[in-house]
Amino acid sequence: MQEGVGIVTSQDEYNHVFDLLQQHHKWFQQCIPLIASENIASPAVREALTTDFGNRYAEGWPGERVYAGCRFIDQVEFQCIKLMKKLFKAEFVDVRPISGVVANLVVYTAFTEPGDTMMALSIPAGGHITMGKKKLGGTAGAVHGLIVEYLPLDYKELTIDVDRAKNRIKKLVGEGRSPKLVMFGASVFPFPHPIKDLADIIHSFGATIGYDAAHVAGLIGGGQFQDPLREGADVVSLSTHKTFFGPQHGGVLSWETNAEKIKRAAFPGMLSNHHLHAVAGVTVACAELLEFGKEYASQIVKNAKALAQALYEGGFNVLAEHKGFTQSHVMLIDITKHGDGGTIEETLEKANIIINRNLLPWDIKEGRHFMHPGGIRLGVSEITRLGMKESEMTEIAEFVARVIIRKEPLEKVKADVMEFRKDYQKVHYCFENATEAYKYIKIR
Ligand SMILES: *Cc1c(COP(=O)(O)O)cnc(C)c1O
């Protein structure tokens, strides 16, 4: 059945859902997935996600639940906390936040009051919408009532500008608007943020240092990026499905002294059910990262540098060439010479190459809109998990150049992408991979 044609009965509707799901799986087997915020979970994580845990409630802290039936759920959640503490060398971990957005809301609730000032990167500078101002509908402003002031980005270095940040902080303090929370971290996060350089000044007036590790959690766990808790962060929020290759979920890391306020913000503040099947999946992913994370994260950084270099040599304006393009999984490309980010994204998708449009830090000032920005963002987490290495990065850069620069027929490139993709159907960096990465699993 195609496009809903011929749907008459509820049974048809029922079949149609499965038809679409299966088509999605088949398509992803044949694509090159380069969305920086995505990844593929292992068959073990997918198995955990199908369990009865997903039908249960476990409000409260493990061992002190306000629901019955949690005997095994509690043990899994304790195991998850234990493994995450080990992975991130954290004194306190809360694995209940069901996503990175909820994790950030837990942080805002635990450490600030509505009306307080928070500092973070703006969205064109790589900040996430959860850090956004009220007028933009951002979570910090519109949901928690924070006044958001921006941390300055150095456009050339693609990281926070320390001197300008210090000046801006001093200015706010001078005006009696000292920030209560300074959030580091970003959605375009090629280089570490200068927490160490700013920690003293931020702590000097009693503010909290937050670090949004949604994108880089798997790299931190694998020892390949900065270590925010050792550099001065008081609290770290996570997504568990970007470079951290688990199911879609979240988490918060902190120090024991902050435990009670974080717990209370999570429940009763932010959660009732907390996706217990996902907690089980995160536990499995933690074990995989403890075993394979180092190797995985170091390959990610090698692949990202290799892909960026190959694209650069192929004629693309990959930013931050003078410092090796990236130290993480992600790179930012100024695509204005070839079109706008939105159109480029659509064109590449027709050749089975999945990337996303992205604002460049200076786009808004230059009058570009987020639907048609000047940039594209590419990440290598998922292709790394599929077992690709540096030589495959060269091939991928070539596919992208054939579409965007040489404007070859899309059907022809797509056929070659599908052929290339056949060899990468298993998930790597995991204990068991008998089932193929995107295999559709039927248990009806
Ligand atoms: C993706 C992202 C989030 C949101 O994470 P979800 O798990 O999708 O809710 C938060 N912060 C940053 C910086 C992100 O990139």
Side-chain angles (χ1 to χ4, degrees):
M1 218 184 298
Q2 284 289 331
E3 308 288 336
V5 175
I7 291 185
V8 182
T9 66
S10 345
Q11 176 83 48
D12 292 340
E13 299 282 6
Y14 171 92
N15 291 336
H16 186 51
V17 182
F18 290 108
D19 182 41
L20 293 171
L21 290 168
Q22 288 179 25
Q23 285 186 52
H24 172 86
H25 274 252
K26 183 156 176 251
W27 185 38
F28 265 71
Q29 283 168 358
Q30 303 170 338
C31 286
I32 300 176
L34 295 168
I35 304 258
S37 55
E38 294 180 354
N39 211 325
I40 179 88
S42 67
V45 167
R46 290 174 69 196
E47 184 170 320
L49 289 177
T50 66
T51 61
D52 178 65
F53 271 33
N55 306 311
R56 302 299 142 205
Y57 268 95
E59 285 180 348
W61 194 251
E64 308 159 19
R65 305 290 198 190
V66 295
Y67 267 85
C70 298
R71 187 179 301 171
F72 298 106
I73 291 167
D74 282 8
Q75 291 181 55
V76 169
E77 193 164 319
F78 275 134
Q79 193 191 355
C80 194
I81 292 168
K82 180 180 85 181
L83 296 185
M84 245 200 212
K85 281 183 175 173
K86 196 169 164 192
L87 192 59
F88 293 108
K89 298 191 258 343
E91 279 183 14
F92 171 76
V93 174
D94 194 326
V95 296
R96 293 173 299 175
I98 56 169
S99 67
V101 169
V102 172
N104 278 352
L105 264 171
V106 167
V107 170
Y108 302 158
T109 307
F111 294 94
T112 66
E113 296 291 332
D116 285 346
T117 297
M118 165 180 127
M119 292 185 87
L121 284 171
S122 71
I123 290 154
H128 187 257
I129 190 65
T130 44
M131 307 166 183
K133 290 185 192 253
K134 184 173 180 178
K135 69 173 183 199
L136 300 174
T139 315
V143 181
H144 195 62
L146 294 172
I147 313 296
V148 179
E149 294 289 342
Y150 294 138
L151 286 168
L153 185 82
D154 183 323
Y155 287 180
K156 185 148 189 287
E157 302 299 316
L158 292 188
T159 189
I160 293 163
D161 183 324
V162 173
D163 292 333
R164 281 165 59 215
K166 280 185 182 166
N167 289 339
R168 219 170 266 189
I169 291 169
K170 282 181 200 152
K171 185 162 177 279
L172 286 171
V173 174
E175 291 166 358
R177 301 197 291 137
S178 308
K180 272 282 171 54
L181 173 64
V182 178
M183 271 308 257
F184 291 87
S187 300
V188 179
F189 207 172
F191 300 103
H193 282 170
I195 315 172
K196 262 189 205 156
D197 299 318
L198 294 168
D200 284 348
I201 182 170
I202 296 167
H203 280 150
S204 71
F205 53 90
T208 299
I209 298 181
Y211 183 96
D212 183 335
H215 262 266
V216 293
L219 302 180
I220 295 171
Q224 278 293 318
F225 206 62
Q226 66 189 136
D227 185 352
L229 289 171
R230 252 54 56 191
E231 293 173 25
D234 301 297
V235 60
V236 175
S237 54
L238 313 171
S239 293
T240 55
H241 48 271
K242 297 187 182 181
T243 54
F244 194 114
F245 49 42
Q248 290 189 329
H249 197 74
V252 174
L253 319 173
S254 190
W255 303 96
E256 197 52 52
T257 49
N258 297 320
E260 285 315 310
K261 57 184 168 198
I262 292 170
K263 283 183 182 177
R264 226 181 119 63
F267 177 79
M270 214 60 62
L271 297 154
S272 177
N273 92 76
H274 58 281
H275 299 187
L276 300 161
H277 55 318
V279 172
V282 171
T283 314
V284 172
C286 277
E288 293 171 344
L289 276 168
L290 282 164
E291 184 76 16
F292 307 102
K294 222 175 142 115
E295 199 193 334
Y296 158 76
S298 85
Q299 190 62 48
I300 281 192
V301 177
K302 284 186 217 159
N303 282 352
K305 285 177 172 291
L307 181 59
Q309 183 69 41
L311 286 164
Y312 187 79
E313 286 169 10
F316 289 99
N317 184 11
V318 189
L319 301 184
E321 188 258 344
H322 70 290
K323 50 198 279 201
F325 308 105
T326 181
Q327 288 173 25
S328 71
H329 62 303
V330 67
M331 67 205 68
L332 190 59
I333 302 176
D334 177 341
I335 204 78
T336 48
K337 223 169 43 177
H338 311 284
D340 75 86
T343 310
I344 299 274
E345 176 191 294
E346 274 175 39
T347 309
L348 284 169
E349 189 184 304
K350 289 183 187 140
N352 277 14
I353 301 169
I354 316 283
I355 60 112
N356 73 274
R357 73 191 79 180
N358 213 98
L359 285 168
L360 298 171
W362 47 87
D363 265 357
I364 299 293
K365 277 186 205 149
E366 295 191 0
R368 278 188 286 266
H369 185 261
F370 69 88
M371 288 303 286
H372 295 284
I376 55 173
R377 183 185 72 164
L378 271 59
V380 301
S381 318
E382 189 161 347
I383 53 176
T384 303
R385 193 110 205 264
L386 291 170
M388 296 187 198
K389 301 246 159 70
E390 289 93 321
S391 60
E392 286 83 356
M393 299 305 116
T394 315
E395 291 185 66
I396 292 173
E398 178 66 14
F399 288 131
V400 176
R402 285 173 60 190
V403 173
I404 305 300
I405 295 179
R406 299 210 284 283
K407 302 199 181 344
E408 285 187 29
L410 296 173
E411 281 303 320
K412 189 161 157 252
V413 183
K414 179 178 161 183
D416 292 345
V417 165
M418 286 166 66
E419 188 57 35
F420 162 80
R421 196 55 181 71
K422 279 188 184 150
D423 293 337
Y424 308 95
Q425 293 299 333
K426 293 276 189 166
V427 179
H428 293 246
Y429 311 101
C430 57
F431 292 101
E432 296 170 289
N433 68 357
T435 303
E436 287 191 348
Y438 307 87
K439 187 178 165 59
Y440 183 84
I441 299 171
K442 187 170 175 181
I443 59 170
R444 279 174 274 166

